[in-house]
Amino acid sequence: MHQLENLYRQIIMDHYKNPRHKGLTDDKNYFTHHIKNPSCGDDITIQTRIENQTIKDVRHDGSGCSICCSSASVLASLMIGKDIDHAEKLTLNYLSMIMNRPFDEDLDLDDAMAYQGVKQFPARIKCATIAWKAFENTIKEWSESHE
Amino acid sequence: MDAHKLKLDFPILQNQPLIYLDTAASSLTPQCVIDTMNEYYTEYPVNVHRGVYQISYKATEKYTQARQTIADFINATFEETVFTRGASSALNLIATSYGLSHVQKDDEIIVSELEHHSHILPWQQVAKKTGAKLIYVPLNKEGRITVENFKRVLTDRTKVVALTYISNVMGYETPLQEIIPLAHQKGAIVSVDAAQAAPHKTIDVKKLNCDFLAFSGHKMFGPTGIGVLYGKQKLLDSIEPIEYGGDMNDNVELFDAVWKDTPYKFETGTPPIAEAIGLAEAVRYLQKLKPEAILAHEQKLKELAVKALLKLDGVTVYNPTSETGIINFNLDDVHPHDAVSFFDEDHIAMRAGHHCAQLIIKWLKVPATLRASFYAYNTEEDVKTFTDAVKKARDFFTSVGF
């Protein structure tokens, strides 16, 4: 069996084909972070609205491979409604999981667990992390403005 | 040419499964080039042009002979053959030195959407800094530069024509032999990016009559970190270096200095000595195989592959008529970065993305593409493995829901 079957899990394909929370807004209350990988063309924008320490909404748009685009949809679905400190923990945990570093398996990453297989494909780590890094930058920006 | 036997010359192709289809990015290195560079590092690993002791003399001699070998390879003189870090720095040198001192406001620089970023961005900068205009040759339906379309953009204001010899994405050859005299009639100079030509074409700069030409070592069996700038002697004599320092000067005073003659005035610092000697060995290896024979072999493999790909549904080939070993294609509705992971699993190495040529990818109106490129060491079995993998990949991605 091709190893790739471990990568293209149903959850991932579902988010790729039917992305949730897709499309950007002009609303100035959203933080906007954009990351581009010029070598492969992946290009993702993540918009986040944070109120009272809570992630109220996450939007995304861009172009890229299935792993890249679906992970933005999964990210948005997971983060909406989360407390910002918890959202930060989830983000760092996800990034550790993808990069094959120790991570807390008890922290509920929900659909994002489907990306565990990515670590077997080091060349694809960038694809699976672009959206999450953009979100991580959002949290950093928010934290700096609330110090 | 016996590609099966040739494979034995490449250590990377021994002891591991590898179908290498990314020569357009970098070719593999034969043992003789590795040995030649090892010989430098083990037997005379010292600087050139400075020491008067024996091994320094040997290093200088080998380095000097290397330049002559490479000059002969393109039918240039020793003085016209400048070593650079690669084709990119050679092309930058032309634009920065010649371009900024000769191009003025409202002059026209003809380029094309087939150019690699290293041949478009330097001239884009010259245009921005001088107020000159970048003019794009309209590509024909296939994405080729034609003489007719070139004539349509050539004017009395054209000062520079900067075109690729062979496109690194589409594999098309530009009709330079006809374009260059037309440019000269208007008084324009012609800069040629030959990075994809040098690996499998006999380049004769005198016959071509180009003004500048650049290529890289690592795409033609040679090492990374070295490239060549060819320039006509009178042009190289008339332009200024863009880097200053040791070895490039003749006399240094408090407030002025005098440069050496070309090629040395463009080569400050300790040169890539092992790389130059390695590149000369790569040239000898290439000449032994005969560039024309390599090209014919590549083309045969490419045509076999294209024929097989065109029979498959759900596969689009963007350059079926190209005259070199490059295939630019996509699996329909599958992002190339998804596809390339499948090929990697089958030990097939090829490129996915923009290939450092975003303009042609935009011209094709796709987000990115897959590129397979064949070279001397590829075999018909490689083609079969590749085309079978394309079919399997297409079936796989369909099965998981693409």
Side-chain angles (χ1 to χ4, degrees), chain B residues 88-104:
Chain B
S88 292
S89 40
L91 296 169
N92 270 279
L93 198 160
I94 301 165
T96 307
S97 180
Y98 180 89
L100 287 178
S101 58
H102 288 77
V103 173
Q104 293 172 344

Side-chain angles (χ1 to χ4, degrees), chain B residues 22-323:
Chain B
D22 199 18
T23 295
S26 261
S27 61
L28 302 178
T29 320
Q31 189 65 51
C32 62
V33 171
I34 300 167
D35 287 346
T36 304
M37 292 174 74
N38 276 343
E39 198 181 287
Y40 165 74
Y41 281 118
T42 48
E43 292 177 20
Y44 54 101
V46 295
N47 221 316
V48 291
H49 302 152
R50 292 169 177 80
V52 285
Y53 45 94
Q54 275 188 24
I55 54 173
S56 173
Y57 177 75
K58 183 173 179 185
T60 305
E61 245 199 357
K62 288 272 190 184
Y63 177 69
T64 306
Q65 284 164 4
R67 193 191 306 269
Q68 190 60 55
T69 301
I70 295 159
D72 292 345
F73 172 60
I74 57 171
N75 195 23
T77 66
F78 186 91
E79 291 73 21
E80 292 170 329
T81 307
V82 179
F83 286 137
T84 63
R85 290 194 312 275
S88 292
S89 40
L91 296 169
N92 270 279
L93 198 160
I94 301 165
T96 307
S97 180
Y98 180 89
L100 287 178
S101 58
H102 288 77
V103 173
Q104 293 172 344
K105 193 171 181 304
D106 297 328
D107 283 348
E108 293 175 355
I109 303 165
I110 295 182
V111 291
S112 87
E113 286 156 285
L114 283 175
E115 301 315 304
H116 188 279
H117 293 160
S118 61
H119 207 199
I120 198 80
L121 297 181
W123 291 108
Q124 202 178 68
Q125 287 302 308
V126 169
K128 281 187 177 199
K129 286 176 186 162
T130 58
K133 290 192 186 105
L134 271 189
I135 307 287
Y136 285 86
V137 188
L139 302 179
N140 78 356
K141 267 189 201 156
E142 278 190 317
R144 286 175 185 272
I145 298 166
T146 63
V147 178
E148 281 61 43
N149 283 354
F150 177 74
K151 282 182 188 159
R152 281 167 52 196
V153 292
L154 183 67
T155 73
D156 293 334
R157 290 211 191 96
T158 307
K159 285 288 169 336
V160 174
V161 175
L163 293 175
T164 184
Y165 203 153
I166 291 175
S167 154
N168 73 315
V169 177
M170 304 298 266
Y172 298 147
E173 184 177 336
T174 307
L176 290 176
Q177 204 68 70
E178 294 158 81
I179 282 175
I180 290 171
L182 294 171
H184 286 161
Q185 280 168 23
K186 296 286 184 188
I189 64 109
V190 181
S191 161
V192 176
D193 171 7
Q196 297 291 340
H200 44 217
K201 263 191 89 68
T202 299
I203 294 176
D204 182 333
V205 291
K206 295 281 177 309
K207 183 161 168 260
L208 201 56
N209 200 19
C210 55
D211 300 283
F212 294 108
L213 179 138
F215 59 94
S216 286
H218 68 98
K219 293 189 200 291
M220 43 178 285
F221 300 125
T224 58
I226 188 159
V228 173
L229 163 69
Y230 158 80
K232 281 181 177 163
Q233 171 96 40
K234 64 174 175 21
L235 284 170
L236 293 181
D237 286 344
S238 73
I239 64 174
E240 283 290 304
I242 59 169
E243 289 184 328
Y244 308 93
D247 219 27
M248 52 78 70
N249 54 74
D250 247 352
N251 184 35
V252 178
E253 300 287 347
L254 281 175
F255 300 104
D256 206 358
V258 178
W259 317 140
K260 282 184 179 161
D261 287 337
T262 177
Y264 302 115
K265 71 174 178 181
F266 299 106
E267 298 175 353
T268 187
T270 293
I273 305 165
E275 288 77 5
I277 295 167
L279 179 56
E281 182 61 24
V283 163
R284 285 188 285 273
Y285 186 76
L286 186 59
Q287 284 173 324
K288 208 172 68 195
L289 294 176
K290 294 197 174 61
E292 289 70 23
I294 297 177
L295 185 60
H297 174 72
E298 276 173 38
Q299 243 178 318
K300 187 183 76 188
L301 298 183
K302 194 223 75 173
E303 268 157 34
L304 262 176
V306 167
K307 215 170 125 189
L309 295 186
L310 291 179
K311 280 189 198 147
L312 298 176
D313 288 329
V315 177
T316 303
V317 179
Y318 301 108
N319 63 337
T321 64
S322 80
E323 49 276 77

